[in-house]
Amino acid sequence: MKTALVCGAGGFIGHHLVKRLKKEGYWVRGADIKRPEFSKSAADEFRVLDLREAKNCVKAVTLANGQVVDEVYQLAADMGGMGFIHSAECEIMHNSVLINVHMTHAAGTLGVKRYFFSSSACVYRDMKIGEPEMTEAGAYPAQPDNEYGWEKLYSERMAMAFGRKYGMAVRLARFQNCYGPEGTWRGGREKAPAAMCRKVAGVPDGGEIEIWGDGTAVRSYTYVDDMVDGIFRLMHSDLEDAVNIGCPQYVNVRELVETVAAVAGRKIRIKSIPGPVGVMSRNFSNGRIETTGWRSQFDLRKGIELTYPWIAEQCRKAGLAPG
Ligand code: NAD
């Protein structure tokens, strides 16, 4: 039986990835500084560990028999949506880089064979609306728009360097925005799709919600099952260097709100307020991940249909939905 460590298994994508690895027949250890918030982990073993500490990274990769896990999926990070990325630069750069420094070192030096790292579309520069598709090579010369992107770029390079030195197969994914049930939906770390679902669920039909900026910023939003499928295929492919994973459908923030409102069956008015919008546009090639046979199975409407009811239910339970 293959063994895997999922770092960040208490978080959104890690929690879903654990379920997928169990379906694939793995023995799975989850590690995170906290347990999953909304449902029990499917991991065979869950360790609450602060992965900023080197000794905890060694504990995380080492099995009871003294051997190391076959595969490490590194998704632990101090992260959140644009609001968090712009207000917590120091925490992001300090905490996430420590996790990555110690985890790549532990995995490389102890002999892990395959290592996955979750990078981000935030490594790329801002793009103009309508610019032609950018491939992975477009990350250089580097000009990320925020410190989160710089940390990811550095950690990508570190993982590759440890891979070269220790003969560890490293796989790097650059994720687009990811959403789905059991993702953070309030508290300041939530991303745009979850925030919009919460806002729409929180007002009656005909109500008004606030968005940051004028709503013209273009993004792709990837449903979590598509993301997990991309991670699994990439990890078992021979694709070296970074690989984009994201839904090929690009929408602006107003279209995101309209999709949520349509799924909720509500008419919603939008009010623009100043806020950290992030880059103006994204448009990335999925050509590399598609060589693995991966295709996005969830367009925005389908993904929101699976996500909105879950967030609306959380709002109801928290007393945040209109009566
Ligand atoms: P998440 O915040 O839900 O999960 C990250 C997990 O890391 C959390 O459970 C957190 O507790 C854990 N963590 C933080 N500090 C830790 C520490 N010191 N020790 C151990 N665990 C620690 O985020 P997510 O959305 O599941 O993202 C997973 C990965 O994918 C991250 O690396 C993130 O940067 C990347 N990513 C996510 C998106 C997205 O849209 N969700 C987009 C691009 C990249």
Side-chain angles (χ1 to χ4, degrees):
M1 196 185 224
K2 269 196 176 175
T3 56
L5 166 68
V6 177
C7 309
F12 170 46
I13 304 173
H15 183 59
H16 286 274
L17 176 62
V18 168
K19 285 189 242 174
R20 170 68 184 262
L21 291 171
K22 285 306 302 168
K23 277 199 194 127
E24 299 288 341
Y26 280 65
W27 182 90
V28 183
R29 173 183 288 161
D32 200 298
I33 202 163
K34 65 166 177 67
R35 287 181 184 275
E37 206 178 327
F38 307 108
S39 63
K40 197 175 175 297
S41 176
D44 296 279
E45 189 183 290
F46 194 98
R47 295 272 192 96
V48 176
L49 292 169
D50 183 344
L51 298 173
R52 288 171 299 184
E53 292 188 33
K55 65 174 190 310
N56 288 340
C57 291
V58 171
K59 276 188 201 164
V61 298
T62 311
L63 296 168
N65 62 7
Q67 310 237 303
V68 291
V69 290
D70 298 314
E71 298 178 358
V72 171
Y73 295 81
Q74 199 326 63
L75 289 96
D78 202 357
M79 69 88 70
M82 267 306 139
F84 181 76
I85 284 176
H86 283 271
S87 62
E89 297 176 339
C90 298
E91 290 81 351
I92 289 168
M93 296 191 94
H94 176 264
N95 295 336
S96 297
V97 91
L98 281 178
I99 296 169
N100 288 316
V101 162
H102 293 310
M103 191 48 77
T104 39
H105 185 266
T109 56
L110 295 173
V112 169
K113 291 283 171 282
R114 293 190 96 77
Y115 189 89
F116 171 88
F117 174 59
S118 53
S119 184
S120 163
C122 284
V123 302
Y124 296 105
R125 65 169 170 81
D126 196 355
M127 293 176 77
K128 292 191 182 60
I129 292 172
E131 235 186 275
E133 218 171 57
M134 201 194 284
T135 65
E136 287 80 356
Y140 295 99
Q143 204 183 353
D145 152 81
N146 52 58
E147 304 304 349
Y148 170 73
W150 282 103
E151 189 281 324
K152 289 290 189 194
L153 215 45
Y154 174 74
S155 293
E156 281 186 7
R157 301 188 69 91
M158 186 168 46
M160 286 195 285
F162 275 82
R164 287 193 292 274
K165 178 159 181 178
Y166 295 100
M168 177 169 71
V170 170
R171 297 292 174 261
L172 305 173
R174 292 181 183 153
F175 297 167
Q176 299 271 19
N177 270 291
C178 183
Y179 70 98
E182 302 199 50
T184 304
W185 61 279
R186 66 168 169 179
R189 286 180 186 250
E190 66 279 17
K191 307 204 126 206
M196 296 311 149
C197 288
R198 186 197 67 232
K199 288 179 185 201
V200 169
V203 295
D205 191 24
E208 181 178 86
I209 68 161
E210 292 181 340
I211 61 166
W212 290 335
D214 64 5
T216 57
V218 173
R219 298 283 185 280
S220 128
Y221 299 106
T222 307
Y223 187 66
V224 66
D225 287 7
D226 274 347
M227 192 63 85
V228 164
D229 189 43
I231 295 170
F232 190 77
R233 286 174 187 264
L234 172 59
M235 183 63 142
H236 301 101
S237 75
D238 55 6
L239 289 176
E240 295 180 341
D241 297 327
V243 177
N244 297 328
I245 306 179
C247 177
Q249 181 189 10
Y250 284 85
V251 296
N252 67 32
V253 177
R254 283 181 181 268
E255 289 164 333
L256 169 64
V257 175
E258 282 160 15
T259 306
V260 174
V263 168
R266 288 180 192 173
K267 289 253 176 305
I268 296 292
R269 285 175 294 115
I270 296 175
K271 181 182 174 194
S272 293
I273 58 162
V277 173
V279 297
M280 199 54 225
S281 186
R282 298 282 191 215
N283 184 20
F284 301 130
S285 160
N286 280 318
R288 296 200 81 211
I289 190 65
E290 286 178 357
T291 63
T292 66
W294 180 88
R295 294 289 180 279
S296 170
Q297 305 295 323
F298 299 84
D299 64 13
L300 186 63
R301 172 77 193 221
K302 199 166 162 190
I304 293 292
E305 279 171 358
L306 295 165
T307 307
Y308 179 80
W310 182 82
I311 294 183
E313 178 60 17
Q314 306 309 305
C315 290
R316 262 191 298 280
K317 283 191 203 153
L320 297 175

